[in-house]
Amino acid sequence: MITVIGQDNSSTHTSKAVQLKIPEWERKGLFLFQLPTYCSEMNPIELEWLHLKRDHLSGQMFDSEDYLLWGIEDTLFSRYDSLGFDTSYFEFS
């Protein structure tokens, strides 16, 4: 069995530490696929963040990062619950 992960070009995804682990991961059946630079339409999370920012959080002010996190969390839970997705595995600390 193999697993393929598509990821953007974040510095954490392209770091030297990650690059050094790739041969080991590939031997175990884990393959990383780098999305093209500036190709947000191929990365579903980018579209989700766009929707979240534009339609749910736009114009809101948050007194702290904690309140922002709670606003994001509430929005994700209500959005995914309304779509019938299981949110029980989400955990924000």
Side-chain angles (χ1 to χ4, degrees):
M1 180 169 140
I2 67 167
T3 301
V4 178
I5 297 176
Q7 56 189 17
D8 62 18
N9 289 291
S10 163
S11 60
T12 57
H13 299 153
T14 58
S15 70
K16 208 178 256 191
V18 169
Q19 297 304 311
L20 291 172
K21 294 293 278 184
I22 288 175
E24 175 187 340
W25 292 336
E26 288 181 351
R27 284 192 301 276
K28 294 179 179 182
L30 174 65
F31 296 88
L32 303 179
F33 169 75
Q34 296 296 132
L35 294 171
T37 305
Y38 304 113
C39 193
S40 59
E41 66 275 5
M42 289 183 69
N43 189 351
I45 193 64
E46 294 294 340
L47 299 175
E48 190 62 29
W49 278 117
L50 174 67
H51 178 72
L52 180 79
K53 293 184 291 186
R54 183 189 61 211
D55 300 330
H56 295 284
L57 300 176
S58 178
Q60 294 187 47
M61 298 293 291
F62 299 94
D63 293 331
S64 70
E65 289 178 4
D66 288 337
Y67 286 116
L68 172 60
L69 174 62
W70 294 328
I72 292 169
E73 182 181 50
D74 288 344
T75 301
L76 289 175
F77 285 144
S78 64
R79 178 166 158 69
Y80 294 148
D81 285 343
S82 71
L83 294 171
F85 294 118
D86 177 16
T87 58
S88 62
Y89 55 88
F90 283 114
E91 182 179 323
F92 295 96
S93 55

